[in-house]
Every structure is written in C-alpha cells, then in structure tokens.
Amino acid sequence: MEVQREQASAEKRSKKTNVIVTIVVALFVVAAVGGVIAANVMNDKLKWVTIAKPAPDKLNTVKGEIVPSDAQTIYQDSSKGRIQQVFVNEGQVVQKGAQLFQYEQSNIDLQLAKKAVDQKVAEANRDEAQKIIDSLTEQVNRLEADSDKKPGLERTISQQEANKQLADLQLEKIKLDQDQLNKKKQDSIVYSTMDGVVGNIDADRAQYTYTAPGSDKEDAPVMTIYSNSTYQMEGTITEKQKSEMAVNQEVRIKADVVSNQSWKGHILSVSDYPTHQGKKVVYAFKAQLDDSEKLYPGYHVTAKVDLPSQMEITIPRSSVMKKGKTTYVYVAKKGKVQKQEVSVESKDKETYTVLTGLEHGDRYLTNPSSDVHPGMKIKKD
C-alpha cells in the first residue's frame, strides 16, 4: 500500500511539472508572437500629419476680361487722301496679306498718264536727235578733209548730241517719277498684317468720305483686325498680389457666363508701373490661355493663381531622416509605411521647406523612430 501511495504521488508531481512547463512554453510563444505583431504594426505614439491643401482666398483670385491676343488698329493717313474702296466686311475672317481697303488713286493715275506722255515726247526728241546725228555724220564722212562745210556740220552734230543727252536725262527722270508714283499707288492699298477677324469698321469711312486733317474724326480708326489666335485675359492686381505673382505662373480661369468649364493658362506679363483706381494702387497683368474655345472678347472671367506662399510645403525637422546622401520621410500609402525621398532647404531652426518629393494631401510621419521601417501596417484612426 505504501508503495502504491508513493507511485501515485510521483505521478501527480510529474503531471504538475508538465502543466507548468506547458504554461511557460505557451507564455513564451505568446510573447514571441506579440513581439512580431508589435514590430509590424505602428504604435499609437507615432504622429501622422496630412499636408493640407491651400484654401482659396481673395489673395489668389483675380478678375479681368477676355481680349484678343493681338490686334491691328488701322487709322486713315490723311496725306493719302480719301478712301476709295473697302474690300472687307465687319466680322469677316481674313488672312495675313489680305487687301483691306484702298485710298483714292485718280490723282496718281492722272500723274502716271502725264508721265507717259512726257516719256513719249522725250523718246521722240532723242530719236530725232539720233537721226540728225547719223545723217550729218554720213555727210561729214563724204566731204574732203579741207572742205569748208565740214566745221559747220560738226557743230550741228555736237548740238544734236547735246539734245540727245538731254532727252536721255529726261527719260531717266521720268522713269524715276513713274517708279515713285507706282510705289505710291501700291502703298494706297492697306493690307492685314495678321490672320484674324475684321471688326469696328467706321461706317462713314466705309462710304469713302474724306476726313480732313485736324478734324474730330481724324484719330478714329478705319477698322481693327483682331487676331484669331488663342485669347488672353487682361485685368489688374493689388500690391500684395503683385509681390507674389510672376510670369509663367499657372492660372485656372472661369467665365461668368460659361458654367461647369474652366481653362488653363499662365501669367504672360505683370506691369511694373502702377495706376490708381480711386485711392487703390493697382498693376495691370495679362494671362495667356492655352485654349479659348467658347470664350469671346469682352467675357468677364475670374482666375485662380497658385501663389508661392500658399503652395509652399513646410515640415518639422524631426520628420526628416538621412542615410548617406539620401534624405527621406516616411509617408502613409495604402495603409502601410513607405519611404519617400525628398529635397529640402532650411526655413528656420525647427522647419524645412520641401522643394520636391511631397505634395498637398500627402500624409507623413512627424516623429519617426528606429523601430519604423517600410511595409509596416498603420493602425486606422
């Protein structure tokens, strides 16, 4: 009996030992698994920040209107007289080099006709002098060397040669006058210097009325050719806007009368010379549109400009990691940690300005530690 009791007691001690060993092993397994999980899941102490997109405000909103990218404004040249004929109609599409209108040519034609008569007279005088020279020269050649008639004939020949030379000079002058008149006649036609659309034809001038020098209408244009190239936007900006607006900055344009559509473009020019609107100082600017379909000159539009101060991205120095020559931050993408290379420059003692690598809307880690590595899962907030 005593032996049986000792065997039973030994079996109990063995079972108890096995249970303890099993529990210890289980605890080690749980700890190991927990460590693996902890190593692959971000803890709650790490702080993520989303780079906010700039909110639109009055600073980056400018107003203006659509204008042609170029225009040829044509005034009457009073020195050329009245307009004889207009070849185009308002709204007509023309190409560069197209005839637009013509000044009166009757006076030029009259002068050319007179020059033509003068030319014929001079040619006749020249030909007559040449005939006389030829005839007298033949007579002189038949005379004896000591003939008393020879000196008189030779004097007459010299006189006719002078007459012929005078006729040649007259013909040369007539030719120069004719060339000048023909050029003036050619200049009496006004041509378009660009592809475009005819606009603002002066009705009185189109009816060929004469505008005397010094009259009230002398400075009024005969017509304007508006370029049919992509349109531009013109407007004014404030001093503050000018300080941040620069050529080639992108703009997004919307028209008051065209809904659900916008147009892209860029700043073409910003004036350095102010004008005054009451007490306010403003500066003129122009923006070139990439496309102007459905837009027309005179449309009122609003443009959004990406100003540098609003587009700047800054991050704390604590978020930036360096390894060798590589500078990077940790970003959140698809629920996991990813390493994102960045280019930064110092803004102040606590902040970097991001030059490349991050965009508005990106989510980055502000306080990375040595435990963080790419591929780790991020706990949902």
Side-chain angles (χ1 to χ4, degrees), residues 102-119:
Q102 183 178 41
Y103 289 99
E104 190 174 41
Q105 299 183 26
S106 57
N107 186 44
I108 298 176
D109 291 337
L110 182 62
Q111 292 182 64
L112 283 171
K114 185 177 181 301
K115 292 297 177 183
V117 173
D118 293 342
Q119 180 181 1

Side-chain angles (χ1 to χ4, degrees), residues 149-317:
K149 293 182 179 180
K150 193 171 184 179
L153 292 173
E154 288 176 342
R155 284 194 297 272
T156 304
I157 290 173
S158 296
Q159 184 179 0
Q160 292 301 319
E161 286 177 343
N163 291 339
K164 180 190 174 187
Q165 186 176 10
L166 178 61
D168 286 336
L169 291 173
Q170 288 174 337
L171 286 170
E172 187 175 341
K173 182 179 183 303
I174 290 169
K175 179 65 167 59
L176 291 173
D177 290 343
Q178 288 173 327
D179 290 344
Q180 188 175 9
L181 287 169
N182 283 320
K183 184 179 184 303
K184 191 174 181 180
K185 184 175 181 179
Q186 183 67 23
D187 290 344
S188 69
I189 301 176
V190 178
Y191 301 87
S192 175
T193 60
M194 65 182 69
D195 296 341
V197 180
V198 180
N200 303 334
I201 295 180
D202 187 298
D204 291 338
R205 297 174 192 273
Q207 294 173 8
Y208 323 133
T209 58
Y210 174 69
T211 302
S215 67
D216 293 338
K217 296 201 68 177
E218 184 182 12
D219 294 332
V222 178
M223 65 179 66
T224 303
I225 308 300
Y226 296 105
S227 171
N228 55 12
S229 299
T230 306
Y231 293 140
Q232 296 177 352
M233 172 187 177
E234 275 187 355
T236 57
I237 54 177
T238 64
E239 295 174 81
K240 175 60 177 174
Q241 289 171 328
K242 175 177 169 54
S243 68
E244 297 207 37
M245 192 177 290
V247 172
N248 291 327
Q249 278 180 312
E250 292 186 358
V251 296
R252 298 176 302 281
I253 296 172
K254 288 190 175 183
D256 296 350
V257 296
V258 182
S259 59
N260 301 322
Q261 187 169 350
S262 63
W263 294 263
K264 291 183 178 181
H266 63 274
I267 299 298
L268 189 64
S269 64
V270 180
S271 175
D272 291 330
Y273 301 97
T275 57
H276 291 80
Q277 293 181 352
K279 295 183 179 180
K280 185 169 66 173
V281 175
V282 295
Y283 296 83
F285 80 94
K286 279 187 177 182
Q288 178 64 57
L289 279 69
D290 297 339
D291 169 49
S292 53
E293 186 179 359
K294 295 185 180 180
L295 292 176
Y296 296 94
Y299 273 21
H300 291 89
V301 292
T302 302
K304 297 288 186 180
V305 187
D306 292 336
L307 297 179
S309 63
Q310 294 182 325
M311 300 306 294
E312 183 181 70
I313 296 175
T314 58
I315 57 177
R317 288 176 177 264

Side-chain angles (χ1 to χ4, degrees), residues 290-348:
D290 297 339
D291 169 49
S292 53
E293 186 179 359
K294 295 185 180 180
L295 292 176
Y296 296 94
Y299 273 21
H300 291 89
V301 292
T302 302
K304 297 288 186 180
V305 187
D306 292 336
L307 297 179
S309 63
Q310 294 182 325
M311 300 306 294
E312 183 181 70
I313 296 175
T314 58
I315 57 177
R317 288 176 177 264
S318 61
S319 63
V320 178
M321 307 286 286
K322 292 184 179 180
K323 186 175 182 180
K325 295 183 179 180
T326 303
T327 303
Y328 62 93
V329 296
Y330 287 120
V331 296
K333 290 187 177 180
K334 297 182 179 180
K336 292 185 178 181
V337 176
Q338 289 190 18
K339 186 166 70 173
Q340 176 64 50
E341 290 190 18
V342 293
S343 173
V344 297
E345 67 177 9
S346 178
K347 182 177 178 67
D348 52 48

Side-chain angles (χ1 to χ4, degrees), residues 38-204:
N40 286 279
V41 179
M42 299 294 294
N43 62 54
D44 296 332
K45 294 181 180 180
L46 298 176
K47 184 179 179 182
W48 292 91
V49 171
T50 300
I51 302 171
K53 295 182 179 180
D57 60 23
K58 293 182 180 179
L59 184 61
N60 73 338
T61 302
V62 293
K63 293 183 178 294
E65 68 176 70
I66 296 299
V67 297
S69 58
D70 196 7
Q72 177 191 4
T73 303
I74 307 165
Y75 295 87
Q76 183 176 0
D77 185 347
S78 58
S79 67
K80 295 182 179 180
R82 67 194 292 269
I83 295 173
Q84 180 178 2
Q85 185 177 4
V86 176
F87 302 118
V88 293
N89 298 312
E90 194 162 312
Q92 181 177 335
V93 177
V94 295
Q95 293 182 333
K96 181 179 179 179
Q99 294 184 354
L100 301 176
F101 63 89
Q102 183 178 41
Y103 289 99
E104 190 174 41
Q105 299 183 26
S106 57
N107 186 44
I108 298 176
D109 291 337
L110 182 62
Q111 292 182 64
L112 283 171
K114 185 177 181 301
K115 292 297 177 183
V117 173
D118 293 342
Q119 180 181 1
K120 289 181 179 180
V121 172
E123 287 174 347
N125 291 336
R126 180 197 60 190
D127 294 343
E128 181 63 24
Q130 185 63 52
K131 287 180 181 179
I132 294 173
I133 292 170
D134 292 342
S135 176
L136 294 177
T137 301
E138 186 178 349
Q139 292 180 42
V140 169
N141 291 336
R142 289 199 300 265
L143 293 173
E144 297 293 337
D146 57 351
S147 173
D148 56 355
K149 293 182 179 180
K150 193 171 184 179
L153 292 173
E154 288 176 342
R155 284 194 297 272
T156 304
I157 290 173
S158 296
Q159 184 179 0
Q160 292 301 319
E161 286 177 343
N163 291 339
K164 180 190 174 187
Q165 186 176 10
L166 178 61
D168 286 336
L169 291 173
Q170 288 174 337
L171 286 170
E172 187 175 341
K173 182 179 183 303
I174 290 169
K175 179 65 167 59
L176 291 173
D177 290 343
Q178 288 173 327
D179 290 344
Q180 188 175 9
L181 287 169
N182 283 320
K183 184 179 184 303
K184 191 174 181 180
K185 184 175 181 179
Q186 183 67 23
D187 290 344
S188 69
I189 301 176
V190 178
Y191 301 87
S192 175
T193 60
M194 65 182 69
D195 296 341
V197 180
V198 180
N200 303 334
I201 295 180
D202 187 298
D204 291 338

